[in-house]
Amino acid sequence: MTQAKPQLALGAFLMQTGHHIAGWRHPEAQADAGSHFAHYVALARQAEAAKFDAIFISDSVGVRNRNLAALSRTARADQFEPLTLLSALAAVTERIGLIGTASTSFNEPFNIARKFGSLDQISGGRAGWNLVTSSGDGEAENFNLDRHIDHALRYERAAEFHQVVQGLWDSWEDDAFLRDKESGQYFDPDKLHVLNHKGKHFSVRGPLNVARSPQGRPVLVQAGASEAGRDLAARTAEVVFVAHQTFDEARSFYADIKQRAAAYGRAPEEIRIMPGVFPVVAPTRAEAEEKFQALQELIPTVVGVSLLSQMVGFDLSPYPVDGPLPELPATNGAKSRQQLMVDLARRDGLSIRQTYLRIAGARGHQQVVGTPKDIADLMESWFRDGGADGFNIMSPAHPVGLSDFIALVLPELRRRGLFRTDYQGRTLREHLGLQRPAHPAAR
């Protein structure tokens, strides 16, 4: 008998028009979502009314695709900068967590610490930082480089980056700011801690000019699954977003991260592992398959090949689309995602076309097309049997996909006692069941 666990965590991954590469063409999709703030307001409020733990915004510091024939047929060329968007959404929501992506490759620690510290103050303790290392040369070329930094060096830099940001978030003790008008004492100087960091990649004096976070520190999220990414997650992350094709992969990753965390002196419950799930749901399986197939038929071949090329870090356009995936050189980009694509194609004997059709919605994450019971069954089995602590929901098209999940799947999860009916706390940490870190000076 599987031991009972707490309820699962749910994030709503709000990618512009939706996660399917042709989702913007859905009759009910908000085609101009990338520049439509009211669209995000409606989605955030919808997710909050459904009691999701958080909304999640991804990012790329540049247009990733240079194939204009493909790019011009997708809704991937325009998107809001996450911190700007989430700060605005903080003002029109009250309880839902706000997780945004910011790269350690093309930012400075002080700026990131200040921005997320500010978001946590503005939102009353709902901020989370998804720490990533950028992977594309197109992004590097926007920041004075001809090609991206080597993979291993990116993660080495990211580890020190995190160390600096965490130190800056602890610049002030919780009760440092007295603001005593009668005595004239604004803050207690004994409760100010200047970082004075000098390392291989960064030299940062501090202190941060933002008071300590209502959460102690914003929640730290990490999304890498390579060897370097796993190690960074085990040392630093409180939430891990990850892509898996099978339960065995999910269970292996789950156990690996928890074991690595223990080696760093961390308890397993200090990390929430939340794989992405791409659900296409309808009252019957036939209806769900019909909905999914309607989206699949909207994918131009040039778009599908370009998407898969991005995923594997190699231009596949010269190869026969109905032939096998060729042998690929090692990538300096997203290594774990390339391996996932190769494993999928080889395991199932897929052609290039069949592979891009398989990942056109979920991009390597778990894809479930079926009834509310089908989707709830998968989520429950992964949750109870050591594959996940929760899930990041990747709707095919927005807003209709999120509405379908809320209307059809959430009641089934709640019937099984797997998801909350109301919030019990006000901060993202409280939603996720994560402890508020004490200031180092108080330990």
Side-chain angles (χ1 to χ4, degrees):
M1 179 67 68
T2 304
Q3 187 175 359
K5 293 177 64 175
Q7 292 179 324
L8 56 81
L10 288 182
F13 190 162
L14 305 184
M15 177 176 277
Q16 297 117 301
T17 57
H19 285 268
H20 194 281
I21 194 67
W24 71 277
R25 300 178 67 187
H26 188 286
E28 297 178 57
Q30 184 74 44
D32 63 348
S35 54
H36 197 290
F37 175 60
H39 165 75
Y40 280 96
V41 172
L43 289 176
R45 286 175 167 168
Q46 185 181 24
E48 183 171 65
K51 315 304 177 187
F52 275 71
D53 292 71
I55 58 174
F56 171 71
I57 307 293
S58 64
D59 193 35
S60 171
V61 287
V63 177
R64 288 179 175 171
N65 193 347
R66 297 185 188 181
N67 182 338
L68 291 183
L71 179 66
S72 63
R73 292 173 174 269
T74 71
R76 298 290 191 257
D78 59 336
Q79 64 183 113
F80 290 118
E81 188 281 318
L83 269 295
T84 308
L85 175 59
L86 290 173
S87 295
L89 292 176
V92 296
T93 56
E94 295 181 356
R95 305 288 280 277
I96 196 163
L98 306 165
I99 300 173
T101 299
S103 171
T104 60
S105 301
F106 305 118
N107 280 293
E108 289 293 322
F110 191 93
N111 290 339
I112 292 300
R114 190 182 189 204
K115 289 175 181 179
F116 279 97
S118 295
L119 177 61
D120 210 58
Q121 295 286 355
I122 291 167
S123 65
R126 296 185 282 136
W129 170 32
N130 180 38
L131 184 164
V132 302
T133 66
S134 297
S135 59
D137 287 344
E139 295 173 273
E141 289 170 346
N142 291 332
F143 294 88
N144 306 307
L145 297 173
D146 294 328
R147 66 184 299 274
H148 206 357
I149 305 164
D150 286 343
H151 186 272
L153 186 59
R154 291 204 303 271
Y155 275 94
E156 178 184 281
R157 187 178 189 274
E160 186 180 339
F161 194 112
H162 165 264
Q163 179 186 354
V164 175
V165 168
Q166 183 167 281
L168 288 169
W169 281 338
D170 288 335
S171 293
W172 305 91
E173 295 182 37
D174 291 310
D175 56 351
F177 286 93
L178 306 173
R179 302 185 180 97
D180 188 331
K181 293 182 179 181
E182 184 175 346
S183 69
Q185 192 77 39
Y186 192 78
F187 70 84
D188 182 345
D190 291 335
K191 297 188 177 183
L192 165 64
H193 301 271
V194 179
L195 183 61
N196 282 322
H197 175 89
K198 291 190 181 297
K200 179 177 178 180
H201 300 281
F202 303 105
S203 177
V204 182
R205 179 184 183 274
L208 190 66
N209 54 346
V210 177
R212 194 161 194 257
S213 164
Q215 298 187 97
R217 304 184 193 113
V219 173
L220 199 287
V221 184
Q222 215 272 322
S226 66
E227 181 64 24
R230 291 181 186 219
D231 191 66
L232 182 64
R235 280 187 287 157
T236 67
E238 294 168 295
V239 176
V240 180
F241 290 157
V242 66
H244 297 304
Q245 283 290 300
T246 69
F247 173 70
D248 286 343
E249 291 172 2
R251 181 168 54 186
S252 175
F253 179 88
Y254 187 98
D256 182 48
I257 293 296
K258 302 279 183 167
Q259 289 167 4
R260 290 183 193 227
Y264 286 111
R266 304 181 67 197
E269 60 270 18
E270 292 180 41
I271 305 177
R272 299 285 181 266
I273 297 177
M274 298 176 63
V277 171
F278 176 89
V280 182
V281 61
T284 69
R285 289 181 185 173
E287 290 173 285
E289 290 287 354
E290 184 178 352
K291 287 169 68 171
F292 182 58
Q293 190 57 37
L295 282 174
Q296 294 289 78
E297 291 173 358
L298 297 175
I299 307 170
T301 299
V302 67
V303 170
V305 173
S306 179
L307 174 66
L308 184 57
S309 296
Q310 291 176 64
M311 293 290 101
V312 300
F314 182 76
D315 182 13
L316 297 170
S317 60
Y319 295 85
V321 70
D322 291 312
L325 196 67
E327 291 298 321
L328 301 175
T331 180
N332 188 40
K335 291 182 180 294
S336 61
R337 192 55 56 93
Q338 182 195 66
Q339 190 61 51
L340 190 150
M341 297 293 109
V342 171
D343 290 347
L344 170 64
R346 302 281 189 261
R347 182 179 63 241
D348 295 347
L350 304 179
S351 67
I352 289 174
R353 187 193 307 276
Q354 290 169 327
T355 306
Y356 80 60
L357 286 171
R358 187 75 68 87
I359 59 99
R363 301 187 308 282
H365 294 268
Q366 180 64 212
Q367 178 173 287
V368 195
V369 180
T371 66
K373 180 180 182 302
D374 293 332
I375 294 168
D377 282 349
L378 178 137
M379 295 174 72
E380 181 172 18
S381 66
W382 283 37
F383 176 63
R384 295 207 184 279
D385 296 334
D389 296 310
F391 298 90
N392 218 15
I393 305 304
M394 304 166 61
S395 301
H398 286 136
V400 60
L402 182 61
S403 298
D404 286 347
F405 183 86
I406 290 170
L408 297 172
V409 181
L410 280 193
E412 179 64 17
L413 292 176
R414 287 179 171 133
R415 186 186 68 78
R416 302 179 188 201
L418 290 171
F419 191 62
R420 67 170 68 86
T421 56
D422 202 359
Y423 292 116
Q424 300 303 307
R426 302 200 68 87
T427 71
L428 178 55
R429 287 186 179 280
E430 289 172 333
H431 300 339
L432 293 169
L434 297 170
Q435 293 294 316
R436 185 183 189 276
H439 192 282
R443 293 173 188 163

